[in-house]
Amino acid sequence: LFQENININGTRLLGWKVLKDQILVRARQLALGAVVRHIHGDLHCANILYDPERHTFTCLDPRGAWGNQQSIWGDIRYDAAKFLHSFHGSYEYIKNRLSLFEERADGSYVLQTAHSTVVYTKWLDAFCTRWSVAQTDVLWIEGLCLLAISKLYQDKALQKQFFLQGLILLNSLL
C-alpha cells in the first residue's frame, strides 16, 4: 500500500509514498479554512433513522468530542464528507463486506463497490451551495476520512479497502 505507484482495478495511481506530502499540506490548508458550525461529528448512514409514518429523519450518536475537546462545534465540511463517504466512498459497502476485494500476487488490487454518482452529485451540489463551501474541499476531507478510518479496523482486508478507496478518491482530485 505504501508504494510510489499502485495498481487498482487496472489503473495505475499515485501511492502513499508520492502523495503523503501533498496530502499533509492539503490537510493543513483544510484545517486552517475550517467552516465552524454546530455539527453531528459522526454523520454516516448507520447513524440516521427514518420514520416512515412521520417522514422524518433522526440523527443518532453525535460525537461531541474531538480529542481532549468536548464540543458540538466543528467543520461543517467534515460532517458532509463523513456522510458522503457512506455511499460515495463506499464505506457502508466495504464495512458490510459487500465489496469485491482481491490482492493479487503482482502487488495490484481489485476493489469493486457500488455507489451512485448521480445521487451524491445532487446532494453535494445542494450542500455546497447552501453553506458556500467548495466541493473539492468536501471531497478531499472524504478521502482523508477513508485513509484515517482504515486504522480503526483490525481486519487487514477492511483496512486495505478503506485505504485504497481513499487513494482512489484523492488521485481523482489531483
Side-chain angles (χ1 to χ4, degrees):
L1 290 177
F2 300 102
Q3 306 296 323
E4 287 187 17
N5 295 293
I6 194 161
N7 186 312
I8 306 171
N9 301 330
T11 302
R12 187 176 177 186
L13 302 174
L14 297 175
W16 176 253
K17 194 171 185 177
V18 173
L19 292 177
K20 179 183 174 186
D21 291 337
Q22 283 181 273
I23 289 171
L24 294 175
V25 166
R26 187 69 176 114
R28 286 185 198 100
Q29 292 169 341
L30 289 164
L32 291 173
V35 181
V36 178
R37 299 283 188 276
H38 177 198
I39 67 169
H40 181 276
D42 193 22
L43 190 61
H44 57 86
C45 290
N47 279 343
I48 301 172
L49 290 180
Y50 177 68
D51 181 341
E53 291 178 14
R54 294 187 182 125
H55 303 288
T56 58
F57 292 91
T58 302
C59 294
L60 307 171
D61 194 23
R63 181 172 288 156
W66 303 89
N68 294 328
Q69 175 186 348
Q70 298 294 317
S71 178
I72 58 172
W73 299 94
D75 191 339
I76 192 72
R77 300 172 305 171
Y78 174 80
D79 253 5
K82 189 82 162 110
F83 177 66
L84 193 60
H85 94 304
S86 284
F87 46 94
H88 175 251
S90 299
Y91 170 78
E92 299 295 339
Y93 298 104
I94 294 169
K95 180 183 83 168
N96 292 301
R97 301 183 189 280
L98 299 172
S99 56
L100 170 66
F101 177 65
E102 292 178 20
E103 188 171 358
R104 297 196 168 152
D106 65 359
S108 66
Y109 299 91
V110 172
L111 176 59
Q112 295 177 356
T113 62
H115 63 271
S116 171
T117 304
V118 173
V119 171
Y120 103 80
T121 302
K122 288 181 180 181
W123 179 86
L124 186 58
D125 285 345
F127 173 86
C128 290
T129 299
R130 163 92 166 80
W131 292 101
S132 300
V133 298
Q135 286 187 13
T136 54
D137 288 355
V138 174
L139 293 170
W140 263 93
I141 295 168
E142 178 193 10
L144 294 172
C145 286
L146 288 163
L147 293 179
I149 204 163
S150 66
K151 294 286 189 179
L152 300 178
Y153 289 85
Q154 292 186 4
D155 183 294
K156 296 293 183 193
L158 289 177
Q159 285 180 356
K160 289 177 183 179
Q161 290 177 73
F162 290 128
F163 195 82
L164 291 171
Q165 192 70 7
L167 286 179
I168 290 169
L169 180 56
L170 295 177
N171 269 268
S172 74
L173 296 171
L174 297 175

